[in-house]
């Protein structure tokens, strides 16, 4: 029996399965996948990544086969063990292929930073999988396919390595893996202008570990930069507005005094960040399914911002932008970074005025570090543990039904109101998240369906407002409704503009006049715009701006993945990517997200604006300049 016969089976099986996975993912795109040229590139580049990944996967087996004595391999027990190892190996590879398929359907991407991030929270992720998919039958299918594959390839012995040079075999595989670490990266595959081609060109296992290595990105190390002082001076100019004056001439200090004439309106504020509420779910944006009658009515009867954009594709990014009014930092969100205590947040401004600030979440707030972050930054946090079981109509792994979260809110608001204080509360919903389950009898749609979950969340918000009307604090309360991110981030480009478009509604009958605002804005502008509506005069360290104080020609939004950082103007999108890569694209259609490369005389200025925003935000956090005054 040859020592390395197993490798002659493993490597070709791995390459074949990787290629089949790539083809299946591409076929699932339908017309979104480009023609023969795109397929050829994806398959050709993909083979290279598959070979490198095969070397990674094979290396532990190489070491085992090299060190294990040959004399033990001739008995029946070893033969049985060999079949078991093949089955376990192939079952593992088939399971990864299945996981990639499910991940691709949800995110339109190979494994990335989201997959790495989710491994930290195994309870929620495993629970979500169990509640969303038929796990037993799927695992049984994986086992059966693996058994069939082992039987079908039982005689496969391609390219068996010689037993005579064990040191050479180990050295060869080690050199391949080490050389690929030094010369190949997760983005070396990105040779096409089409995002899907680039994703298909990779290998899921390789992409996962590449994302793991890059989960914390130092802006100054990986991105194009300006001299530190020049970046901050440019950022100061970008955030300047007529109602704001800088407190010092220090170019690194973004602190400004915001002044409004007249009395402040110390109204209660309820900010609801809605899980995955894409703009195209709503009737006011043209949806004909009638999913959101309550939100559509509030949009027509309130202050409706029609060109609002999420900063990222994860809940934690929305929480970062809404609370800090700062552009996203590459890699991890500030919500999950060390040193994020005592920051200048929405709660800082409210608390200075005697408000009680709350962060209310229907799930367990250890997820994404929510409890630790908000409690360290001016909020009193209440999560799933604060909700009595008798008040729960339904729950899944992500948390209680939205209506039960709102019941917790009503209880908290009544208690604060009775103490004679105004309140600010940020509520984060969960029902519009896979597995899309909710209390029965609320909407006439099936459980487990995305549209049904949207309709239920809309029902729950309408029910919350109806219940709130009977409370004494209602007439003095402003309701702010905004999404944390869109339901889908997949698109043909790295930053598909239309996949970041979300609603923003400010609703308070008698306090906020109905109007439609078609100004381009970002989640980081919500806090300063709200404070402007309340006529607050305060000291600010926000990078976001009051959209009504900003000149229309300065309108912009921020959109990002964990690596690609975008600055969106009405007709241009500047993109910063690691290793100094940058580009400017023309935005042809904000509704469809269609863009094209379009170099022009103003592109360099736009890129430098993007650098100033993102480099400046990164510098401000690292240097403690986002801290609340006195911290």
């Amino acid at each position: 029996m040859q020592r390395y016969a197993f490798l002659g089976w493993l490597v070709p099986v791995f390459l074949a399965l990787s290629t089949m996975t790539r083809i299946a993912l591409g076929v699932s795109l339908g017309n979104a996948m480009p023609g023969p040229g795109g397929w050829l590139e994806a398959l050709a580049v993909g083979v290279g990544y598959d070979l490198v990944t095969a070397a990674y996967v094979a290396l532990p087996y190489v070491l085992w086969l090299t060190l294990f004595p040959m004399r033990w391999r001739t008995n029946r027990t070893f033969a049985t063990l060999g079949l078991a190892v093949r089955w376990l190996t192939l079952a593992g590879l088939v399971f990864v292929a299945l996981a990639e398929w499910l991940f691709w359907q949800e995110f339109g991407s190979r494994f990335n930073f989201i997959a790495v991030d989710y491994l930290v929270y195994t309870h929620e992720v495993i629970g979500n999988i169990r509640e969303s998919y038929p796990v037993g039958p799927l695992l049984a299918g994986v086992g059966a396919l693996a058994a069939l594959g082992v039987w079908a390839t039982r005689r496969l012995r391609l390219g068996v390595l010689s037993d005579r040079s064990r040191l050479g075999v180990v050295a060869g595989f080690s050199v391949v893996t080490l050389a690929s670490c030094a010369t190949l990266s997760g983005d070396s595959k990105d040779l096409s202008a089409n995002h899907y081609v680039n994703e298909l060109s990779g290998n899921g296992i390789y992409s996962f570990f590449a994302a793991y290595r890059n989960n914390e990105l130092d802006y100054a190390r990986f991105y194009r930069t300006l001299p530190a002082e020049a970046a901050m001076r440019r950022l100061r100019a970008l955030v300047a507005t007529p109602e704001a004056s800088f407190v010092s001439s220090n170019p690194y200090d973004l602190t400004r005094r915001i002044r409004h004439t007249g009395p402040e309106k110390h109204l209660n504020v309820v900010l609801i960040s809605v899980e995955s509420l894409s703009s195209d779910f709503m009737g006011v944006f043209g949806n004909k399914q009638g999913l959101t009658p309550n939100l559509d009515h509030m949009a027509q009867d309130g202050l409706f911002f029609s060109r609002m954009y999420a900063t990222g594709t994860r809940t934690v990014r929305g929480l970062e932008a809404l609370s800090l009014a700062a552009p996203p930092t590459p890699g991890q969100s500030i919500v999950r970074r060390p040193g994020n205590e005592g920051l200048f947040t929405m709660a800082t401004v409210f608390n200075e005025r005697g408000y009680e600030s709350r962060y209310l979440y229907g799930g367990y707030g250890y997820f994404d570090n929510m409890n630790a972050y908000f409690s360290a930054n001016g909020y009193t946090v209440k999560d799933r543990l604060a909700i009595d079981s008798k008040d729960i109509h339904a729950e899944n792994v992500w948390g209680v039904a939205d209506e039960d979260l709102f019941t917790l809110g009503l209880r908290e608001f009544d208690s604060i109101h009775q103490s004679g204080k105004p309140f600010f509360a940020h509520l984060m919903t969960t029902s519009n998240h896979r597995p899309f389950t909710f209390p029965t009898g609320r909407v006439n749609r099936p459980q487990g369906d995305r549209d049904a979950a949207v309709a239920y969340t809309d029902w729950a918000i309408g029910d919350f407002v109806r219940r709130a009307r009977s409370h004494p604090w209602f007439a003095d309360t402003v309701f702010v409704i905004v999404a944390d991110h869109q339901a889908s981030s997949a698109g043909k480009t790295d930053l598909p503009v239309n996949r970041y478009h979300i609603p923003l509604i400010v609703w308070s009958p008698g306090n906020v006049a109905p109007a439609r605002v078609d100004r381009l804005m970002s989640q980081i502008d919500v806090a300063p715009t709200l404070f402007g509506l309340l006529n607050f005069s305060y000291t600010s360290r926000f990078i976001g701006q009051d959209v009504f104080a900003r000149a229309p020609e300065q309108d912009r939004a921020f959109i990002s993945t964990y690596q690609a950082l975008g600055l969106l103007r009405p007709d241009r999108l500047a993109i910063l990517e690691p290793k100094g890569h940058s580009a400017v694209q023309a935005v042809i259609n904000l509704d469809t997200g269609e863009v094209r490369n379009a170099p022009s005389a103003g592109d360099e200025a736009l890129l430098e604006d993007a650098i100033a925003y993102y480099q400046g935000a990164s510098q401000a956090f690292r240097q403690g300049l986002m801290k609340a005054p006195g911290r």
Side-chain angles (χ1 to χ4, degrees), residues 231-248 253-258 519 525 528 540-556 569 609 612-613:
M232 295 304 293
R233 287 189 182 278
R234 193 177 189 97
L235 181 56
R236 277 169 61 102
L238 288 167
V239 302
T241 48
E243 91 292 11
S245 58
F246 288 96
V247 301
S248 77
D253 189 1
L254 297 176
T255 309
R256 305 171 317 278
R257 290 193 181 93
I258 311 295
R519 299 278 299 276
D525 301 318
S540 174
R541 288 188 170 175
F542 294 145
I543 295 176
Q545 300 166 306
D546 179 352
V547 71
F548 296 114
R550 184 172 65 215
E553 60 269 17
Q554 294 299 314
D555 284 351
R556 81 289 171 275
R569 299 283 190 190
D609 284 350
Y613 274 118

Side-chain angles (χ1 to χ4, degrees), residues 177-510:
T177 55
L178 291 174
S180 66
C181 285
T183 61
L184 195 67
S185 68
D187 57 6
S188 298
K189 68 185 185 318
D190 298 340
L191 305 176
S192 172
N194 187 290
H195 168 75
Y196 289 129
V197 172
N198 291 332
E199 287 295 321
L200 290 172
S201 297
N203 177 281
I205 296 174
Y206 186 96
S207 296
F208 178 87
F209 286 100
Y212 178 81
R213 291 197 302 269
N214 295 317
N215 69 347
E216 195 74 38
L217 293 175
D218 180 354
Y219 182 93
R221 178 181 175 188
F222 289 99
Y223 291 83
R224 178 175 167 179
T225 62
L226 295 170
E229 183 174 325
M232 295 304 293
R233 287 189 182 278
R234 193 177 189 97
L235 181 56
R236 277 169 61 102
L238 288 167
V239 302
T241 48
E243 91 292 11
S245 58
F246 288 96
V247 301
S248 77
S249 59
N250 181 350
Y252 291 90
D253 189 1
L254 297 176
T255 309
R256 305 171 317 278
R257 290 193 181 93
I258 311 295
R259 299 188 184 278
H260 290 100
T261 59
E264 296 186 352
K265 304 173 185 177
H266 288 182
L267 300 172
N268 306 306
V269 174
V270 177
L271 169 63
I272 305 172
S273 49
V274 182
E275 172 69 42
S276 304
L277 183 64
S278 303
S279 58
D280 51 16
F281 288 138
M282 293 181 60
V284 289
F285 288 107
N287 187 292
K288 303 299 184 183
Q289 296 174 273
L291 300 176
T292 59
N294 293 293
L295 289 172
D296 291 335
H297 180 268
M298 294 175 78
Q300 293 165 359
D301 198 34
L303 194 56
F304 170 51
F305 296 84
S306 65
R307 298 181 71 189
M308 173 74 174
Y309 285 81
T311 61
T313 59
R314 293 271 331 273
T315 296
V316 73
R317 284 301 188 189
L319 298 178
E320 171 189 68
L322 292 168
S323 61
L324 289 174
T329 51
Q332 286 279 20
S333 164
I334 288 174
V335 173
R336 296 188 55 192
R337 289 194 176 192
N340 65 2
E341 307 86 5
L343 301 176
F344 185 80
T345 64
M346 286 187 78
T348 304
V349 178
F350 282 115
N351 293 346
E352 288 173 348
R353 286 154 178 75
Y355 280 67
E356 286 283 335
S357 296
R358 296 284 189 272
Y359 178 73
L360 306 179
Y361 179 57
Y364 294 102
Y366 70 86
F367 184 79
D368 270 342
N369 201 45
M370 285 186 248
N371 282 357
Y373 169 78
F374 282 102
S375 63
N377 288 291
Y379 298 77
T380 298
V381 178
K382 298 290 181 71
D383 68 355
R384 168 68 180 79
L385 295 174
I387 303 174
D388 194 293
S389 58
K390 66 179 177 58
D391 294 326
I392 298 175
H393 291 84
E395 63 180 320
N396 56 39
V397 70
W398 293 109
V400 300
D402 289 350
E403 63 190 89
D404 302 327
L405 170 65
F406 294 139
T407 296
L408 171 64
L410 292 172
R411 188 184 74 196
E412 290 293 312
F413 306 157
D414 285 345
S415 175
I416 298 170
H417 179 74
Q418 289 169 9
S419 73
K421 293 184 177 182
F423 57 81
F424 160 60
H426 183 162
L427 289 75
M428 180 67 231
T429 74
T430 59
S431 291
N432 188 27
H433 192 297
R434 191 179 297 279
F436 309 125
T437 55
F438 45 86
T440 58
R442 302 304 192 228
V443 295
N444 188 25
R445 291 177 180 271
Q447 296 280 337
D449 176 73
R450 163 76 77 179
D451 287 348
V454 172
Y456 167 70
T457 290
D458 176 80
W459 178 91
I461 291 173
D463 176 69
F464 171 51
V465 171
R466 285 188 290 272
R467 287 190 283 164
R469 286 183 184 276
S470 64
H471 292 253
W473 43 261
F474 174 81
D476 298 318
T477 300
V478 177
F479 296 84
V480 181
I481 300 172
V482 63
D484 59 345
H485 56 81
Q486 265 222 356
S488 173
S489 59
K492 294 182 181 180
T493 62
D494 287 338
L495 291 176
V497 173
N498 58 316
R499 295 303 188 185
Y500 293 83
H501 189 202
I502 59 173
L504 170 63
I505 302 167
V506 179
W507 185 82
S508 182

Side-chain angles (χ1 to χ4, degrees), residues 85-223:
V85 170
R86 289 194 182 201
W87 181 82
L88 286 171
T89 300
L90 187 53
L93 294 176
V94 172
F95 178 82
V96 169
L98 173 63
E100 268 209 273
W101 171 268
L102 297 176
F103 191 85
W104 181 270
Q105 300 310 307
E106 184 77 11
F107 298 105
S109 170
R110 295 277 196 165
F111 291 141
N112 58 21
F113 186 67
I114 297 173
V116 175
D117 224 17
Y118 275 6
L119 282 186
V120 178
Y121 303 103
T122 52
H123 170 73
E124 282 80 4
V125 174
I126 293 174
N128 184 40
I129 292 170
R130 290 176 60 190
E131 293 174 356
S132 302
Y133 305 104
V135 176
L138 287 176
L139 291 180
V142 167
L145 283 174
L148 180 63
V150 170
W151 179 83
T153 59
R154 63 192 183 280
R155 293 188 175 88
L156 186 62
R157 298 287 189 277
L158 296 182
V160 176
L161 300 170
S162 171
D163 296 352
R164 299 175 182 175
S165 181
R166 283 185 278 175
L167 182 60
V169 173
V170 174
F173 275 87
S174 299
V175 166
V176 170
T177 55
L178 291 174
S180 66
C181 285
T183 61
L184 195 67
S185 68
D187 57 6
S188 298
K189 68 185 185 318
D190 298 340
L191 305 176
S192 172
N194 187 290
H195 168 75
Y196 289 129
V197 172
N198 291 332
E199 287 295 321
L200 290 172
S201 297
N203 177 281
I205 296 174
Y206 186 96
S207 296
F208 178 87
F209 286 100
Y212 178 81
R213 291 197 302 269
N214 295 317
N215 69 347
E216 195 74 38
L217 293 175
D218 180 354
Y219 182 93
R221 178 181 175 188
F222 289 99
Y223 291 83

